[in-house]
Amino acid sequence: MNRVDNIMGDMGKVRALSEVEIPSLEGEVSEEEWKLRVDLAAAYRLVAHYGWDDLIFTHMSVRVPGPEHHFLLNPYNLMFEEVTASSLVKVDLQGNPVEPSPFITNPAGFTIHSAVHMAREDAHAVIHLHTPHGQAVAAHEEGLLPLTQTAMLIRGDLAFHDYEGVATDHEERERIVADLGTRNAMLLRNHGTLAVGESVGEAFIRIYFLERACEAQIYALSAGDKVNNPPQGTPEIAAQQGAQGLKLAAQFLAWPALLRKAYRLDPAFAS
């Protein structure tokens, strides 16, 4: 099938959900997988909380430990505020559900995420968003500018991938991987943002910094053309600090705090 046909995928099998009843998988999967499910479901709820969701159309994934390289992806049928640990769909590298599920997955989500998971052993988690600020900066010729500390902390780890249409062509996976290289964040030109991490928390903190930097850039440029550029050499220093600090913040500080926030917002995500 070509890229246009691929976007339909299994759409002929889709049925609207009048209600969402999801049996709990706690105790049915390994403790390690259950923790990953809880973390990823929390990330979906937090993305919705921060207003970064795009109805049902973006996606986050995490690799399940094991030689099969299975990973968890959101159900295409659910809003992010509805996602729970048990509703996440486990798929293989061909995008096929590993176990029976009442849900379908996003074919474009599979293309982008499987590309990164297949190529990068360290990319256990992948987050992709379509926020207006992220799309605006991705459409800007120079991409992310070193206008704020937030941008400078993430900018040295940023890659770019040119737009090819809705990402349903599996041949695009090689180009996504080649453009990402060893970096951990990406602007998908005219499309959105992407971040990877060794954990869901690490990927979330990276996407948080990238999204906040994009938002600040749009505000700064909309205020006029007299922006203050940082002194020479400081963006490089900040990039080195970000490379060290973001992983530590994710592991020990910010992500544990964000998990507590997710439980305060609605503990049902962990069901």
Side-chain angles (χ1 to χ4, degrees):
M1 291 190 294
N2 62 30
R3 187 182 291 266
V4 175
D5 293 330
N6 277 346
I7 199 169
M8 294 306 296
D10 291 331
M11 292 297 105
K13 304 175 184 177
V14 172
R15 298 292 181 270
L17 297 176
S18 58
E19 58 184 26
V20 181
E21 292 186 8
I22 304 160
S24 176
L25 293 179
E26 188 172 10
E28 302 297 318
V29 298
S30 68
E31 290 185 14
E32 191 172 14
E33 180 178 329
W34 182 250
K35 182 182 183 304
L36 291 174
R37 285 177 172 272
V38 169
D39 277 2
L40 188 58
Y44 276 103
R45 297 298 186 99
L46 289 164
V47 163
H49 173 73
Y50 286 114
W52 298 340
D53 48 347
D54 181 18
L55 296 179
I56 61 171
F57 296 111
T58 60
H59 15 265
M60 294 172 269
S61 61
V62 65
R63 181 185 297 142
V64 178
E68 302 88 355
H69 275 64
H70 293 158
F71 60 96
L72 302 171
L73 197 65
N74 59 306
Y76 206 10
N77 321 54
L78 301 185
M79 300 290 285
F80 286 11
E81 66 201 40
E82 297 176 303
V83 171
T84 65
S86 296
S87 69
L88 293 164
V89 182
K90 190 191 301 185
V91 299
D92 61 23
L93 287 174
Q94 285 69 48
N96 302 310
V98 175
E99 295 146 354
S101 172
F103 305 114
I104 61 170
T105 56
N106 184 336
F110 166 70
T111 300
I112 294 171
H113 289 245
S114 63
V116 179
H117 284 297
M118 288 167 65
R120 291 271 301 270
E121 282 295 323
D122 62 324
H124 295 292
V126 181
I127 297 177
H128 168 48
L129 302 177
H130 294 160
T131 68
H133 297 111
Q135 288 182 317
V137 172
H140 194 276
E141 182 178 3
E142 296 186 42
L144 187 64
L145 300 170
L147 298 179
T148 62
Q149 174 174 273
T150 312
M152 288 182 272
L153 288 170
I154 192 74
R155 189 168 174 264
D157 204 20
L158 190 62
F160 298 87
H161 174 67
D162 286 334
Y163 188 64
E164 301 186 22
V166 177
T168 56
D169 183 356
H170 289 179
E171 292 182 2
E172 187 179 355
R173 293 190 293 195
E174 294 181 6
R175 296 184 287 276
I176 292 171
V177 166
D179 289 337
L180 181 62
T182 60
R183 298 194 174 188
N184 296 300
M186 176 179 274
L187 285 178
L188 299 160
R189 290 291 196 180
N190 311 98
H191 183 175
T193 55
L194 181 141
V196 307
E198 294 183 12
S199 65
V200 172
E202 188 178 310
F204 191 92
I205 298 307
R206 285 202 177 100
I207 205 75
Y208 178 89
F209 271 73
L210 180 54
E211 286 291 337
R212 295 287 281 188
C214 289
E215 183 178 6
Q217 177 169 316
I218 298 305
Y219 287 149
L221 296 181
S222 67
D225 58 0
K226 293 185 178 180
V227 296
N228 183 71
N229 291 309
Q232 185 175 0
T234 53
E236 291 76 17
I237 293 172
Q240 293 174 19
Q241 293 170 324
Q244 296 178 9
L246 291 186
K247 290 177 69 72
L248 292 174
Q251 185 174 358
F252 298 111
L253 301 171
W255 181 247
L258 284 163
L259 268 180
R260 296 195 300 272
K261 184 180 187 70
Y263 276 106
R264 289 196 301 273
L265 290 170
D266 180 6
F269 80 88
S271 63

